[in-house]
Amino acid sequence: MSKSIAWRLALAIALTCALVLSVIGVFLYRSLASELAFRDDQALLGRLEQVRALLHDSDSLEALQERPRLYQNMLGNLDSVLLVNREDGSPLIAINPHQQALAHVQPIAQAQAPRRSDIKTADATVLLAGMAQGPAGETLSVTVGKRLDEREQMLASYRMRLYGAVGLGALMAFGLGLLLLRRGLTPLRELAHAMAGIDPRSLDQRMAADNVPAELKEPVQALNAMLARLEDSFARLSQFSADLAHEIRTPLHNLLGSNSLALNQSRSPAEYQEVLASNIEEYERLNRMAENLMFLARAEHGQRPLQLQVLDLREVGDGLCDYFEALAEDRQLQLDNQLSGPLMADQQLLQRALGNLLANAVRHAQPGSTVRLLRRDDAEYCWTGVHNLGPAIDPQHIDKLFDRFYRVDPSRAQPGDSGGLGLAIVHSIMQLHGGQVRVVSDASGTLFELGFARDHR
């Protein structure tokens, strides 16, 4: 459950709501506390002025002492404090319902109007003191105050309500968020259910992208693209397995047949040597096929690291021409190396790729013609190619030339060829280099080109 996206998002929503409600609650709490303090302070300021006026307008201090209800009614509750002292400090009026010890507050002058800054807070009580004049001009000191118990109780109650509101709001946000998220994630569950029904026999199925939410359109499209690639790869793998079985069956059939004939009757040593020589040719064919397949597997899985270096194409071309010179002479062909300039590439892989192209060119070129190694540059690539004169390749074969075991004319397969893997190896080598390979074939001949990005030069 802790890994559920819906639960995590619902919890995040709840925490966010709790944070927002907490900020709002703090603001409201502080606003209320400030408003209550302001009102209490204003009432205290007015009370000092009223007591001052009462003392000044009274007939005598004795009359005030005899009629305390005048100022007791004015105070109005048990949390209020009123002390009136004579100049010598003796009390004239003392109203202190809780009989608490009051802190000393410096009184303001008689002629000075009280301000909020004159109010002091001590022992959960706000106090304000000021000088006043009695009926006979006597100097008096007046202290008015109010206990904060009622205000604190009100704020404590308000705080508890805020805590409850924040907690309840967070729980409601979590519950509603979880409910809405689970409903919102329904398309994902439907998508997962549809994906669960896809197996190797139904790779042609695609996810419907029309009725999914906008946020899922790109993932669904990417999933469909992946399914298309898987379908294509699976089809290629199936075809590769069939082609591999076919290619291996031929030499194995030849080996079984020749060995069976050799064992059916006694033969001379020369005849046995001929059978062994024929078997060696088939073994070499199988060995080349295994090596080529191993190279392709390593190249596709990135297990063949590149050893890039600056190569002199002229030297590379001369070495290939020397290697294929004898085969070219047997077929009455001329080799023309027109490669030149530097190229950043893996020397062994470049030689293998150009060697495979040159072997194909020599094999299919018209007798008496010239096979050329060419180079040209454009804005993005350095192109090295092999051109030969011969029958044009049918356009229907062009896109399949680099598939494994594909041959334009299987009947022309020869014991020394690459087993239909030569061009596939060329394609893998160019993929390792981050380049590309292409072929153009028409009445003027056939040209295979290897494109190396110019930043590899």
Side-chain angles (χ1 to χ4, degrees):
M1 191 67 67
S2 60
K3 297 183 180 180
S4 170
I5 294 178
W7 275 77
R8 290 182 178 182
L9 291 178
L11 182 59
I13 293 173
L15 293 176
T16 302
C17 289
L19 178 61
V20 173
L21 291 175
S22 298
V23 171
I24 295 175
V26 170
F27 173 77
L28 293 176
Y29 176 81
R30 291 184 178 274
S31 298
L32 177 61
S34 177
E35 181 66 21
L36 291 176
F38 176 78
R39 292 186 178 185
D40 287 345
D41 290 348
Q42 291 298 320
L44 207 60
L45 295 174
R47 186 168 302 159
L48 178 60
E49 291 291 344
Q50 291 173 354
V51 172
R52 278 177 167 179
L54 179 63
L55 291 173
H56 184 270
D57 296 338
S58 297
D59 296 333
S60 66
L61 295 177
E62 290 74 9
L64 282 175
Q65 290 177 319
E66 293 174 357
R67 300 167 60 187
R69 293 179 61 85
L70 291 175
Y71 43 82
Q72 287 180 341
N73 291 339
M74 180 185 67
L75 297 178
N77 58 66
L78 298 177
D79 289 331
S80 296
V81 175
L82 173 60
L83 299 178
V84 180
N85 296 328
R86 290 186 173 91
E87 190 174 6
D88 60 2
S90 60
L92 177 64
I93 300 174
I95 298 179
N96 187 358
H98 297 277
Q99 300 299 316
Q100 67 182 100
L102 302 177
H104 173 73
V105 179
Q106 184 65 32
I108 62 175
Q110 180 180 342
Q112 180 181 345
R115 296 173 298 180
R116 289 191 71 189
S117 59
D118 299 323
I119 300 175
K120 307 302 180 182
T121 302
D123 299 329
T125 304
V126 288
L127 299 171
L128 175 63
M131 303 303 295
Q133 185 178 7
E138 181 181 356
T139 300
L140 304 173
S141 65
V142 178
T143 301
V144 295
K146 182 179 181 181
R147 291 176 59 86
L148 301 179
D149 296 342
E150 182 180 356
R151 186 205 300 181
E152 292 301 326
Q153 291 175 1
M154 180 185 299
L155 291 176
S157 176
Y158 189 72
R159 284 197 303 270
M160 294 304 298
R161 292 181 182 181
L162 285 179
Y163 294 152
V166 171
L168 181 60
L171 288 176
M172 291 181 63
F174 179 80
L176 292 176
L178 184 61
L179 177 62
L180 294 176
L181 285 170
R182 285 189 170 179
R183 294 189 62 182
L185 293 176
T186 300
L188 278 179
R189 290 192 291 272
E190 295 176 349
L191 183 62
H193 179 72
M195 291 173 56
I198 297 178
D199 55 30
R201 293 171 296 179
S202 58
L203 288 176
D204 57 335
Q205 294 184 12
R206 298 294 180 267
M207 302 295 102
D210 297 333
N211 299 323
V212 298
E215 293 80 4
L216 293 180
K217 281 189 177 296
E218 289 188 7
V220 169
Q221 292 173 353
L223 178 61
N224 286 336
M226 182 187 70
L227 287 174
R229 293 192 298 271
L230 287 175
E231 181 185 11
D232 180 68
S233 298
F234 192 80
R236 288 176 176 271
L237 180 62
S238 299
Q239 184 62 41
F240 168 72
S241 301
D243 293 339
L244 179 61
H246 175 75
E247 293 294 330
I248 292 179
R249 183 179 59 182
T250 300
L252 290 178
H253 178 75
N254 293 339
L255 288 170
L256 289 172
S258 60
N259 288 331
S260 298
L261 290 175
L263 294 175
N264 283 338
Q265 57 184 354
S266 299
R267 298 180 181 275
S268 64
E271 291 176 329
Y272 283 120
Q273 289 179 354
E274 182 179 352
V275 171
L276 292 176
S278 175
N279 289 347
I280 288 176
E281 290 183 359
E282 297 298 337
Y283 289 134
E284 289 177 347
R285 180 178 177 183
L286 288 172
N287 185 58
R288 285 195 302 271
M289 187 182 303
E291 290 180 351
N292 290 337
L293 289 173
M294 183 68 71
F295 174 84
L296 289 172
R298 290 176 177 175
E300 288 184 356
H301 290 84
Q303 298 177 358
R304 175 39 169 103
L306 291 177
Q307 299 177 358
L308 298 178
Q309 56 181 309
V310 179
L311 304 176
D312 185 343
L313 284 180
R314 184 70 185 181
E315 293 183 2
V316 173
D318 288 341
L320 291 173
C321 289
D322 292 341
Y323 182 82
F324 286 96
E325 182 177 5
L327 180 61
E329 289 179 354
D330 291 342
R331 297 179 180 274
Q332 302 176 2
L333 299 174
Q334 297 292 325
L335 300 180
D336 181 14
N337 177 25
Q338 298 182 13
L339 296 176
S340 62
L343 177 68
M344 179 69 76
D346 185 303
Q347 181 175 3
Q348 183 179 0
L349 295 183
L350 176 63
Q351 290 175 337
R352 185 165 188 174
L354 287 176
N356 287 352
L357 295 181
L358 193 56
N360 278 349
V362 170
R363 186 175 296 113
H364 297 97
Q366 292 179 352
S369 63
T370 300
V371 177
R372 293 181 172 84
L373 296 174
L374 307 174
R375 169 178 177 160
R376 67 180 181 86
D377 294 345
D378 59 22
E380 297 181 1
Y381 292 94
C382 166
W383 296 94
T384 61
V386 178
H387 178 271
N388 71 288
L389 295 176
I393 302 176
D394 195 309
Q396 67 178 348
H397 299 297
I398 295 295
D399 294 336
K400 302 178 181 179
L401 287 176
F402 300 99
D403 293 346
R404 298 177 183 181
F405 300 116
Y406 186 82
R407 294 188 180 92
V408 175
D409 185 3
S411 63
R412 297 179 61 182
Q414 302 177 17
D417 68 7
S418 60
L421 296 173
L423 293 181
I425 291 176
V426 172
H427 185 259
S428 294
I429 290 174
M430 294 313 299
Q431 284 185 324
L432 287 174
H433 282 83
Q436 55 180 282
V437 57
R438 65 185 183 185
V439 57
V440 178
S441 184
D442 51 29
S444 64
T446 299
L447 173 64
F448 283 87
E449 288 187 306
L450 309 178
F452 295 85
R454 291 179 67 87
D455 57 358
H456 285 170
R457 293 168 52 187

